Amino acid sequence: MFTQIKDYKRLISSDNLNVIIDQDTSLLRKIELTAQEEIESYLRHHFDVAKLFSGFEKWSSTKTYLADDESLVAFENNEDELYFVNSDTLAGESPSTHPAKWTKGDNRHQYLLTIFVDIMLYHAHSRINPRNIPDFRISRYDDAVLWLKMVNSGKITPAFPIKSDPIIPDR
């Protein structure tokens, strides 16, 4: 998963989000996949989108975590508590039992996360009534797409993981 429900709170209230997705988190996840594919279409020939959208996983007591993987982990069903690994762990070594091996925080690209939420909310609103999308959602969507186009053209260079074999388009 790339997003948490709390990620939406920066741009929409929980009540309004529930209204536009009909309180259906499976619908939310489907619209998120649409937003992710749209963003990836602008970024995939320059950047490692698999790494960029690796998101986070739920902590498992049976898994070992490697510092080199740069994994982001949600600990014990609490998505608000994200951790990444400082040093390799053995199975069962959690942030609470071995805190020196973990750092609490969020290493996702925060502006990309905002762009993602803007695009997702635009698509969620268009599902309800494509002719009545709030103007500020249209404006934020347009700004997000413009930013992605500028990244694609090389006018903006965010700190994204570079693809090992980038494709340089004819300009």
Side-chain angles (χ1 to χ4, degrees):
M1 284 188 288
F2 181 66
T3 58
Q4 305 168 280
I5 294 298
K6 76 171 191 159
D7 294 327
Y8 292 96
K9 292 179 183 176
R10 64 174 82 189
L11 297 174
I12 190 170
S13 72
S14 297
D15 290 340
N16 287 341
L17 179 61
N18 282 325
V19 167
I20 66 171
I21 63 166
D22 295 330
Q23 298 184 4
D24 182 351
T25 55
S26 67
L27 176 60
L28 174 71
R29 297 301 176 205
K30 288 175 186 172
I31 299 170
E32 286 176 339
L33 290 174
T34 300
Q36 182 173 332
E37 179 58 35
E38 182 174 352
I39 293 168
E40 286 182 4
S41 72
Y42 288 99
L43 304 176
R44 76 171 43 98
H45 58 278
H46 292 298
F47 303 102
D48 184 344
V49 293
K51 194 171 190 178
L52 192 59
F53 284 102
S54 62
F56 63 95
E57 61 184 90
K58 299 218 184 256
W59 181 80
S60 170
S61 62
T62 60
K63 183 175 177 180
T64 59
Y65 294 93
L66 305 177
D68 291 344
D69 290 344
E70 300 178 20
S71 297
L72 191 59
V73 179
F75 181 58
E76 294 190 354
N77 298 322
N78 182 355
E79 286 187 359
D80 288 339
E81 302 237 351
L82 295 179
Y83 293 85
F84 51 94
V85 182
N86 292 328
S87 59
D88 297 351
T89 70
L90 300 174
E93 292 184 336
S94 73
S96 60
T97 62
H98 292 79
K101 291 188 175 187
W102 298 87
T103 298
K104 187 175 181 178
D106 189 346
N107 60 2
R108 295 173 296 168
H109 191 281
Q110 295 301 301
Y111 191 68
L112 178 66
L113 189 56
T114 300
I115 294 292
F116 182 95
V117 171
D118 279 331
I119 290 174
M120 181 274 163
L121 290 172
Y122 172 84
H123 288 297
H125 277 284
S126 67
R127 181 192 71 82
I128 297 168
N129 184 348
R131 293 182 216 182
N132 196 21
I133 301 170
D135 289 341
F136 72 97
R137 291 283 171 229
I138 293 169
S139 176
R140 289 190 65 95
Y141 174 81
D142 290 344
D143 290 347
V145 169
L146 176 63
W147 186 83
L148 289 167
K149 287 179 179 179
M150 291 174 70
V151 169
N152 182 290
S153 70
K155 292 178 181 172
I156 295 175
T157 52
F160 290 166
I162 303 293
K163 192 173 180 181
S164 61
D165 58 344
I167 300 167
I168 310 299
D170 294 331
R171 300 208 200 271

